[in-house]
Amino acid sequence: MKPAPFKYFRPESVEEIHYLLAEHGSEARILAGGQSLVPLMNMRILQPGVLIDINRCRDLAYLRKEDGAVVCGALTRQGAAETDPAVAEHLPLLAAAMPHVGVRANRNFGTVCGSLAHADPLGELPSVASALETRFVIAGARGRREVGADEFFVGALTNCLEPDEMLAEVRLPVSPPGARSVFLEVANRAHGFAVGGLAAWAAFDGGGRCVRARLSAMGAASTTLRLRRAESLLEGEALGEESIRAAAAAAVEAAEPSDDVHASAAYRAELIGTLVRKALRRMLAPEGGPR
């Protein structure tokens, strides 16, 4: 299929992007990598009247460490994040998740911010952003604002952006020293759509006690799901089988997945519990080490 007719703009400055968004509002869509948007347009699930191609705005293509965070601009390709030394050093959870995002060709075009704005409940990057407590910087002609993942992700394929706004950048806090990160995903076939997954990291004190834990599940609800009850059961405890089983049970209880052609809701809920157990046990394994 082919997309419905639309007007096409290719601005060369951020100010021009903001002007076009203010002028066209809900009729407009931002085009960066197009790996999510274009297929939806081809299937006519989305029929924007205006397409704003931001690829000439090179000021939006940056990836840098700044004020305790790795800052990623709207035009930063997923492939750039996958290979960047700062990501490998400071965001091991993101580095572990990147190879699961489509295939190499997708990542060469797709952008980090575009995947986050797409807000797929089975997307890897939203779950990572939630677990890392990422800050989302939103901009438009009316100014800039910053929100957390809980506010940004509203529901399936739905974010909090107003019609005249764009996701300008994301700020991903660096992992604390000694933290251990694990990303797990289950799919029906290699590089196929995920059935479920988990982004997890935990920090430990010198005695091996968990001082901070962050768990975010994909495929467990209508949007990425922070497993806050499971986190609270881990914090302050020495990680062992009892606390691991308790956290997994809390994850299953929190999950509110849906049925589809790939898996039942019951399967997905149990899967999340299994992934929590597997991730926490991997953190305890000597070969896992601080990362």
Side-chain angles (χ1 to χ4, degrees), residues 110-268:
T111 62
V112 173
C113 286
S115 183
L116 293 170
H118 185 53
D120 189 338
L122 285 168
E124 294 84 1
L125 297 188
S127 67
V128 170
S130 176
L132 292 175
E133 298 184 320
T134 297
R135 301 299 296 175
F136 295 74
V137 180
I138 296 167
R142 293 180 289 122
R144 292 164 71 92
R145 62 189 177 102
E146 189 173 311
V147 301
D150 286 350
E151 184 176 349
F152 185 79
F153 298 117
V154 175
L157 307 184
T158 308
N159 59 49
C160 75
L161 293 173
E162 296 294 336
D164 62 345
E165 294 179 325
M166 65 176 291
L167 180 58
E169 68 178 30
V170 288
R171 306 181 65 87
L172 301 105
V174 302
S175 296
R180 300 184 181 188
S181 302
V182 177
F183 183 85
L184 299 171
E185 179 177 299
V186 171
N188 287 329
R189 59 182 175 84
H191 304 299
F193 288 106
V195 173
L198 180 74
W201 69 266
F204 301 87
D205 63 18
R209 190 176 301 276
C210 178
V211 295
R212 195 174 175 197
R214 294 294 180 266
L215 309 170
S216 184
M218 47 192 281
S222 63
T223 185
T224 185
L225 179 66
R226 268 284 297 276
L227 302 171
R228 297 182 186 276
R229 173 60 179 159
E231 294 170 355
S232 68
L233 291 173
L234 296 170
E235 293 177 343
E237 299 292 330
L239 224 58
E241 278 304 310
E242 183 177 349
S243 57
I244 288 173
R245 286 196 299 270
V252 173
E253 185 176 349
E256 296 180 347
S258 57
D259 296 299
D260 62 22
V261 296
H262 301 294
S264 68
Y267 174 84
R268 281 198 167 99

Side-chain angles (χ1 to χ4, degrees), residues 8-97:
Y8 177 78
F9 295 93
R10 201 171 189 183
E12 297 187 0
S13 70
V14 173
E15 292 74 19
E16 191 177 354
I17 296 172
H18 293 170
Y19 171 81
L20 289 168
L21 286 171
E23 180 180 11
H24 297 286
S26 59
E27 284 293 302
R29 288 291 187 275
I30 295 286
L31 172 66
Q35 300 304 289
S36 300
L37 176 62
V38 171
L40 292 177
M41 290 176 61
N42 285 341
M43 292 184 285
R44 301 205 176 191
I45 295 172
L46 283 180
Q47 298 185 39
V50 173
L51 209 57
I52 303 172
D53 183 344
I54 66 173
N55 281 281
R56 286 186 176 175
C57 300
R58 305 311 303 169
D59 289 347
L60 295 174
Y62 55 85
L63 186 64
R64 58 179 180 257
K65 185 173 179 289
E66 173 182 294
D67 298 328
V70 174
V71 185
C72 179
L75 264 184
T76 301
R77 306 295 173 186
Q78 295 161 2
E82 183 177 11
T83 58
D84 191 273
V87 171
E89 180 180 0
H90 301 294
L91 296 173
L93 181 58
L94 177 59

